[in-house]
Structures are given as C-alpha cells and as structure tokens.
Amino acid sequence: MDIFYTLQDYLLHSESIVYIIMGLSLPGILMFWLFLTGRDNEDLK
Amino acid sequence: MSGEQKAESRTLLTPFNLIAGIILIAGLIVTVIRFTKGLSSVTNLSDYNPWGIWIGFDLMVGVALAAGGYVTSAAVYLFGMKKFHSAVRPAILTGFLGYFFVVVALNYDLGQPWRLPYPFIVGWGTTSLLFEVGLCVALYLTVLFLEFSPAALEWLGYSKTRKLAGRLTIVLTIFGVVLSTLHQSSLGALFLIAPSKLHPLWYSPYLPVYFFVSSIVAGLSMVILEGTLSHKFFHHSMDKTYLGEHDPLTLGFGRAAALVLAGYFTIKMVGLAAGNHWDLLTTPYGLWYLVEVIGFVLIPCLLYTVGVRDRNLTLIRFTSVLAVAGIILNRLNVSVIAFNWHLPFSERYVPSFQEVVITVFMVTLIILSFRFIVTRMPIFHEHPDYKDSH
C-alpha cells in the first residue's frame, strides 16, 4: 500500500480512482442496459 | 365421523403442520421465559453487543425483504406497468406481514417493550435516526395495512368501505415510496455512528445509499421468489389473470433486478475506492467481503442477465434465491459478523439457541399468516363482485 504523507496526497489518489470508476460506469451501465434488453422483441419461449 | 371430517383431520396432520406446531410451541415457551425472566435469560447480548440477530435478522433482513410492497406498487401505480397488476396484492401482503412481525420481534428486543410508543407520546427525539426509523416504520405499517385492506374488506363484504379504500390507492402508494426511501436508507445510516466498530470494508459514508439500493433488489427478488413458491403451493387459488401475468412478471422483475444489481455493484466499488481499502481485500475479512460482493451481487447480476436474455425463467427464479440470500448475508455482515470485528472471539456475539428459536418462530408466524390469508381472501384472484375495480 502506498504511504500518504498529506491528506492532499490521499484524497488525490482515492478520488482519482473514484472518478475513473464513475466515468467508466456511466457508459458501462448504458451498454449493460442495451445488452440486457437486446433480445426484448423476441417472444417468450 | 363423516368422510369430510376424516379428510379434514387427515389434512391437518401434514409434515409442514407438525413442524410448524413444534416451532410454535418452542417459540411460545421462549416467549414466556423472555418476558418473565428478562433479556439475559435467553440472549447472549451484552454491553459490547447490544444488537443481536433479533435486530440483525428479524428487523434488518425483515424490512429489506418486505420491500416488495413498495417496489411493486410503485411499478404498477406510479410507473404505469399495469401488466404486473396481479402481483400487487401478494407483494403488499408479504410487505404488511413482514413489517408487522418486525414490530412484533422488536418487542422481544426492547428491555422495556411497553415504552415502544414513548418516542411519539413522551418525547420527540427529532435529532435521532432511530426516531426517524421508528416513525417511518409506524407510518408505513399503517400505509401497508390500508393498502392491504381492500382485499380484507372484499372478503368481509363491506362494499362501501372497500370503495373508499380503493380511492386511496395512489396517495398510499406515494406515501409508501417516500416512507420506504426514508427508513430503508436510515437503517444503513444507523451504523454511521460506529466507524470504529464496523469493519472498514463494510463501513462507508454511502451506507444509507447501499441499504436503499439493495432494498430494491431485495423487493424485486422477493416478489419473484414469493411468486414461485406461491405458484407451487397455492396454484389452486390463482385465477387466469394471475397465471397469465406470472411469467412476464418474472421476466420484467428479473430484468429490473439485473440493472439495479449492476448499479449496486458499481456504487460498492466507488465506496471501496473512496475509502482506499483495496489492501484489506487480501485479509480474511476481505475474502469474506469478496464472497458477498462477487458471489451474491455480481454473480446474481450476471445470472439474471443471462436468464432475461435467454428467456430462461427457471434461471431467473433460481437467481432470486441467490439474491435474497445475498441481502440476508449483507445485513448480517453489517449488523453482526463485521460488527465489533476487532474484539477477541471470547467477546464476540454468537446468538443463543433461544434467540434462533424466536427468529424461526417469527418466520413461521409469517408463513402461517400468509397461508391463512391467501387461502381465504382474494389475493391471487379477483373477487367476482369487484372485477377490474382496482
């Protein structure tokens, strides 16, 4: 684990990862929804 | 003895009834001991562990799994998904019984249960989260009772009162969603006061959001699971409408559960990153956390997705069991397993046999009440006098 000497370092590190996850999750959830509903027009078996 | 009476006496002696009878007797005995000799005579609770499984399971899990009521009524009456209409009454009934027995179980856990209404009549603790939870649960139980009342009134034949109760549907649904949003999240917020007691992997400033979002998953999955079990055991009391809507409901709720689980997994990862707790994942508690998040969040999400895409209803029904188990595990992790994690094992809480008996007693009472009501009232079928009136 990295050692953080200041609160600034710690927040910069952790918040950066949070923003990366959030940035990826927005298109990710959208694509997941399209994948989930991709076969909706087909009838029930 | 006539043939009919013989048949009746035979049907009462089923394995289910025998087991339920034994549980009821054991539960009543522990109840008498609890209320005559006090909490310490039947529980392993202590000053370190003031909340055991009567809170962790009976209350935390009970409230989460009763979320099907607000999820289904919101889907049908607020989002206009009328094709799921037949699922509203069973879901409301499950929610009502769930909340009712949460309050019953709470009386066991309170040292002085007669003080349960004190927050409303003696002192309004408006700065306390517990006050907010108590007020919301009290109000929501009333809302659920009123939402359930049309079925009981139809059964009793009170047509005028039934008409009045029917007019309140939309207002009650809105109240239900508002109150559920408040107290489902507040149950998670209760643990915000104990950052030093709850393991860092489960403690997060986002706990209220986790509890609320996971309650939606619990509600959706419980409706699928309850529908599957009811289909098996109460098939005879279901009408064509209910049977016709059952498969589309399973598919629709499975799809919604997959999406909410994907969102839940994402915010769990956001919380993990915000706390920078990645290094704890390789510890024993970290592996247990991974079991919960991967085994009971990510895998159910993927299984629901496969089930929905392949129109595999059996897989969706199986996944609902996994998702419900995941919610139970999560609530127990937060309130019992990862709580006071730093204490030596000798100081840790392990539920006593009597505590387990009361928990099983409560679950049995819910099942028996559910069976009593659905075999008498119009829950899985429409009353012939009130067709299309709700």
Side-chain angles (χ1 to χ4, degrees):
Chain A
M1 187 185 167
D2 300 332
I3 297 172
F4 302 108
Y5 293 101
T6 64
L7 183 64
Q8 163 78 13
D9 286 348
Y10 167 73
L11 288 176
L12 184 67
H13 176 82
S14 56
E15 294 298 309
S16 300
I17 298 174
V18 168
Y19 283 128
I20 291 168
I21 294 174
M22 284 177 161
L24 291 174
S25 69
L26 289 173
I29 292 279
L30 185 65
M31 284 192 286
F32 176 72
W33 175 251
L34 293 173
F35 177 72
L36 188 65
T37 56
R39 292 185 188 167
D40 269 11
N41 293 329
E42 293 175 20
D43 290 327
L44 274 172
K45 270 178 190 171
Chain B
M1 194 184 267
S2 72
E4 268 182 26
Q5 279 173 320
K6 266 183 193 171
E8 199 173 295
S9 60
R10 262 207 313 276
T11 51
L12 280 176
L13 282 175
T14 59
F16 173 80
N17 283 353
L18 280 175
I19 294 168
I22 293 166
I23 293 169
L24 291 185
I25 292 166
L28 287 172
I29 292 169
V30 179
T31 301
V32 172
I33 299 171
R34 152 68 189 93
F35 287 106
T36 52
K37 297 192 184 286
L39 278 170
S40 60
S41 60
V42 288
T43 70
N44 282 344
L45 299 175
S46 63
D47 286 343
Y48 277 134
N49 303 288
W51 285 354
I53 56 165
W54 290 351
I55 295 296
F57 188 90
D58 298 15
L59 195 142
M60 296 284 174
V61 174
V63 166
L65 296 186
Y70 88 85
V71 169
T72 313
S73 55
V76 174
Y77 296 123
L78 302 185
F79 297 111
M81 299 176 186
K82 299 288 181 193
K83 59 183 176 176
F84 302 142
H85 186 262
S86 62
V88 172
R89 280 194 176 179
I92 292 287
L93 174 62
T94 313
F96 173 59
L97 292 175
Y99 274 87
F100 179 76
F101 283 101
V102 158
V103 177
V104 173
L106 188 59
N107 282 289
Y108 283 74
D109 197 69
L110 295 173
Q112 300 178 43
W114 55 91
R115 289 193 171 196
L116 188 64
Y118 269 35
F120 314 124
I121 56 172
V122 175
W124 287 65
T126 48
T127 53
S128 162
L129 265 172
L130 263 181
F131 172 76
E132 195 248 311
V133 171
L135 187 61
C136 279
V137 170
L139 287 173
Y140 188 47
L141 182 59
T142 314
V143 166
L144 280 169
F145 173 73
L146 293 173
E147 283 189 301
F148 163 71
S149 63
L153 292 167
E154 286 174 15
W155 178 58
L156 293 167
Y158 296 148
S159 58
K160 279 185 186 169
T161 326
R162 156 70 183 84
K163 208 176 271 179
L164 184 71
R167 284 195 198 130
L168 296 172
T169 304
I170 297 291
V171 178
L172 290 174
T173 305
I174 294 168
F175 262 125
V177 172
V178 171
L179 292 169
S180 295
T181 310
L182 284 166
H183 73 264
Q184 292 282 2
S185 55
S186 298
L187 282 175
L190 288 176
F191 292 90
L192 291 179
I193 203 170
S196 59
K197 291 185 177 179
L198 186 57
H199 192 281
L201 283 172
W202 282 273
Y203 181 86
S204 164
Y206 305 123
L207 262 174
V209 184
Y210 293 163
F211 267 55
F212 174 64
V213 175
S214 59
S215 82
I216 300 173
V217 178
L220 293 165
S221 301
M222 264 308 280
V223 170
I224 298 173
L225 179 61
E226 175 264 308
T228 308
L229 294 174
S230 300
H231 210 265
K232 188 169 179 183
F233 296 108
F234 304 110
H235 191 86
H236 55 278
S237 46
M238 294 171 176
D239 63 8
K240 265 187 185 172
T241 316
Y242 184 91
L243 293 170
E245 290 179 5
H246 184 64
D247 288 353
L249 174 99
T250 306
L251 195 63
F253 275 36
R255 181 189 295 120
L259 185 68
V260 181
L261 274 169
Y264 180 56
F265 181 76
T266 307
I267 57 173
K268 286 289 264 187
M269 291 303 101
V270 167
L272 193 61
N276 199 36
H277 295 311
W278 304 101
D279 57 312
L280 295 176
L281 290 177
T282 50
T283 63
Y285 270 104
L287 296 175
W288 185 237
Y289 176 83
L290 290 175
V291 168
E292 181 194 316
V293 172
I294 294 176
F296 293 94
V297 178
L298 192 59
I299 290 178
C301 175
L302 297 175
L303 291 179
Y304 269 135
T305 307
V306 173
V308 168
R309 276 182 62 85
D310 293 348
R311 304 293 193 265
N312 188 339
L313 299 175
T314 313
L315 182 61
I316 295 174
R317 285 170 189 140
F318 166 77
T319 311
S320 71
V321 180
L322 206 59
V324 167
I327 299 299
I328 295 172
L329 184 65
N330 173 258
R331 296 304 191 261
L332 287 178
N333 275 340
V334 172
S335 60
V336 177
I337 298 168
F339 198 77
N340 278 335
W341 62 283
H342 56 284
L343 289 180
F345 187 74
S346 58
E347 299 289 342
R348 294 296 306 274
Y349 165 79
V350 178
S352 69
F353 176 70
Q354 292 96 319
E355 286 179 87
V356 177
V357 167
I358 289 298
T359 296
V360 177
F361 178 55
M362 289 298 147
V363 175
T364 309
L365 283 175
I366 293 176
I367 295 169
L368 290 175
S369 309
F370 186 84
R371 187 177 72 166
F372 178 85
I373 292 170
V374 298
T375 49
R376 286 162 179 80
M377 298 184 197
I379 302 295
F380 293 121
H381 61 270
E382 285 188 304
H383 193 287
D385 298 343
Y386 301 92
K387 280 206 179 292
D388 304 320
S389 66
H390 52 89

